[in-house]
Amino acid sequence: MPRTLDSQITMEKTPSYFVTKEAPKRIFNMSRDSKLIVVVRNPVTRAISDYTQTLSKKPDIPTFEALAFKNRTLGLVDSSWNAIRIGMYVLHLENWLQYFPLSQIHFVSGERLITDPAGELGRVQDFLGLKRIVTDKHFYFNKTKGFPCLKKPESSSLPRCLGKSKGRTHVQIDQDVIEQLREFYRPFNIKFYEMVGHNFRWD
């Protein structure tokens, strides 16, 4: 981390911190006053997105259904598969709460980040104790990608949008597979909503 003044905030991000068992202790030992921001989305959609990204790099992997279930007929989900395990948010949160109070963790809705980016970022700015500077005027909807992008800053001729790997069309999954996964995640989701005091409405 670069050294910062009292008036500055240093930020660091990676998708794997939240689900890495050793991360909370390491971050706590570095700075117990850290504020943590976690972007979460519907775990079923997240798993399909995860699979879609892996498939783009390794086209010969088994089907989503083959990886997601130990026994599809019995509805036995394979929670050891990373794409499934990551979406069991409550388990990861329990690990973080051993080191950090909930007041230092802010959860961003991945769905609302698409439908109301300024609103979600407004709440992030509040959480960080910043003045609300980022507003609706900073975004435009990119029809090709299917989500909002930042308008170009005055210093650049190009708008700022997420990379090529973002916004790709998901693999088509049978509706009954989606329903089975919804059932699997429901108890984890409900406990997660209760713990964070917010219903993300993933059912």
Side-chain angles (χ1 to χ4, degrees):
M1 293 286 183
R3 291 188 178 276
T4 54
L5 302 173
D6 287 342
S7 59
Q8 295 176 315
I9 293 177
T10 299
M11 297 189 80
E12 150 67 5
K13 71 169 181 76
T14 183
S16 60
Y17 284 152
F18 186 56
V19 298
T20 301
K21 196 159 178 47
E22 302 78 17
K25 185 178 181 181
R26 287 177 180 170
I27 294 172
F28 178 82
N29 287 337
M30 183 195 74
S31 171
R32 61 185 61 192
D33 297 323
S34 292
K35 288 189 173 184
L36 309 160
I37 300 169
V38 186
V39 181
V40 289
R41 67 190 294 196
N42 184 317
V44 178
T45 312
R46 205 219 66 78
I48 296 168
S49 177
D50 191 316
Y51 176 79
T52 301
Q53 187 161 342
T54 305
L55 188 66
S56 71
K57 296 171 190 167
K58 300 176 182 174
D60 55 345
I61 60 170
T63 64
F64 178 84
E65 292 85 345
L67 293 167
F69 292 91
K70 287 179 182 173
N71 185 317
R72 170 85 193 283
T73 313
L74 297 175
L76 292 176
V77 173
D78 189 351
S79 59
S80 68
W81 183 35
N82 222 28
I84 295 293
R85 190 182 62 82
I86 289 171
M88 298 159 72
Y89 302 128
V90 68
L91 302 184
H92 311 303
L93 178 58
E94 284 169 347
N95 189 28
W96 283 89
L97 291 178
Q98 291 178 45
Y99 296 91
F100 292 95
L102 202 55
S103 59
Q104 280 174 237
I105 309 174
H106 178 74
F107 291 91
V108 173
S109 163
E111 287 80 18
R112 288 191 56 155
L113 202 52
I114 293 170
T115 60
D116 179 24
E120 278 302 297
L121 287 178
R123 285 181 277 280
V124 168
Q125 290 169 99
D126 293 346
F127 171 69
L128 295 174
L130 300 172
K131 183 180 171 185
R132 284 199 179 198
I133 294 173
V134 180
T135 62
D136 281 324
K137 69 180 182 182
H138 293 94
F139 297 94
Y140 75 96
F141 190 80
N142 184 310
K143 288 179 184 172
T144 310
K145 286 195 171 286
F147 52 72
C149 297
L150 283 170
K151 288 180 180 171
K152 68 181 179 75
E154 289 175 17
S155 59
S156 166
S157 60
L158 295 171
R160 178 76 181 95
C161 223
L162 293 171
K164 291 177 192 169
S165 68
K166 304 296 179 187
R168 62 162 66 100
T169 306
H170 286 177
V171 175
Q172 281 299 113
I173 306 296
D174 288 345
Q175 192 58 37
D176 59 332
V177 168
I178 290 171
E179 287 303 323
Q180 282 179 300
L181 288 177
R182 276 186 185 150
E183 283 298 315
F184 168 77
Y185 279 119
R186 188 165 285 118
F188 294 101
N189 291 345
I190 289 168
K191 194 172 177 192
F192 179 63
Y193 300 162
E194 288 170 354
M195 284 179 79
V196 302
H198 180 79
N199 186 341
F200 288 89
R201 306 192 183 281
W202 291 323
D203 296 323

